[in-house]
Amino acid sequence: CALPIYFQKSKRITPSYIKRLARVARVAPLHINPELKELRHIQKLLPRAARFAISDSAFHVTLPDVARRFTIPEVDAEKYDLYKFGYHGISVASVVKQSKRVFGSRPKHLVVCHLGSGSSVTAVKDGRSIDTTMGYSPLAGLAMATRVGDIDPGVLLALAKYKRFSLEQLSDYLNKRTGLLGLSGQTDDMKTLVERRKHGAPQATFAVEAYAHRVCKAIGASAATLGGLDAIVFTATIGERSWRLRSIICRQLAGLGVEFDVAKNRHKKDTGMITTPRSKVKVAVIETDELAELVRQTAALSA
């Protein structure tokens, strides 16, 4: 029963939809469990209202098979629907729509860095997703606030053995006790970590720089996948608000042709460019408008 693939398309919410959603809660427990609670509450308050689910993975249906497939036997992938689905698609779609206005034309080779409590980097070619760092679940890819990101599967086997984790305990550990919290041993809040780094706190410094390293690595990989790089966008809470983190990342991207403007970057509080006119790769901060994208897609579904 193709459960996760079922959710890679936006659709009207029915009792069957809610049952299916409950059956895949393990894939994204930090997201799906609260959503189920809200859906049941709304059903009680507004029993006759039409409800629509906008898929956060639908933007990534354009992933080619070489990006979508994991290196497991296809018989297992097909039986259990173990594919890369990607997330943050609503945000990326919003940013791609705004990119034409910000850059003057829609970049052919665009990398979108959605950096927040959940973080991802998406390679967008001609307006279509061709790869993204999140995978089957929102655990994959970059380090996040409390989520682990990419990790050697051997480490998971070792953790399960040495800490005697059940599957539920391992899931809780990877979703709630790793990422920035695990790296710093202090907090999962990037703003706090950046501030402590400014004052020389070693653990905070390490957490911030390790996070930035992974973002840079993902941007470089995306550029290779795209076959070029015209523009980079920073969006979401951290991407939009942390000029210090953007500075760390952009300085490391000089080899790719990024020449960022220190003053513009520091004072950018809304949508706009943060690179110099000479920069071969344009970089901008774009405020994601997921709500507007949700409204647009819902209107299309309900028409």
Side-chain angles (χ1 to χ4, degrees), residues 233-234 239-240 246 268 270-274 283-287:
V233 167
F234 289 101
E240 294 170 20
R246 293 197 303 264
K268 180 53 61 185
D270 52 16
T271 293
M273 302 277 287
I274 60 170
V283 181
V285 177
I286 297 181
E287 292 184 276

Side-chain angles (χ1 to χ4, degrees), residues 149-165:
D150 286 345
I151 187 170
D152 181 346
V155 175
L156 304 184
L157 296 175
L159 282 168
K161 176 182 178 181
Y162 297 135
K163 296 181 78 69
R164 300 184 183 278
F165 278 149

Side-chain angles (χ1 to χ4, degrees), residues 180 184 186-187 189-213 242-249 251-252:
L180 288 172
S184 70
Q186 300 169 338
T187 178
D189 181 61
M190 178 61 79
K191 183 178 180 180
T192 301
L193 291 169
V194 168
E195 188 64 25
R196 290 179 182 175
R197 175 183 179 271
K198 187 175 69 172
H199 297 290
Q203 287 176 289
T205 298
F206 175 75
V208 171
E209 293 183 357
Y211 179 93
H213 169 80
S242 182
W243 67 267
R244 286 190 174 91
L245 183 69
R246 293 197 303 264
S247 176
I248 296 169
I249 294 169
R251 289 182 189 279
Q252 292 187 45

Side-chain angles (χ1 to χ4, degrees), residues 257-278:
V258 172
E259 184 179 318
F260 84 110
D261 186 307
V262 175
K264 285 183 181 178
N265 178 59
R266 180 164 186 166
H267 299 292
K268 180 53 61 185
K269 299 184 185 300
D270 52 16
T271 293
M273 302 277 287
I274 60 170
T275 41
T276 70
R278 298 183 302 275

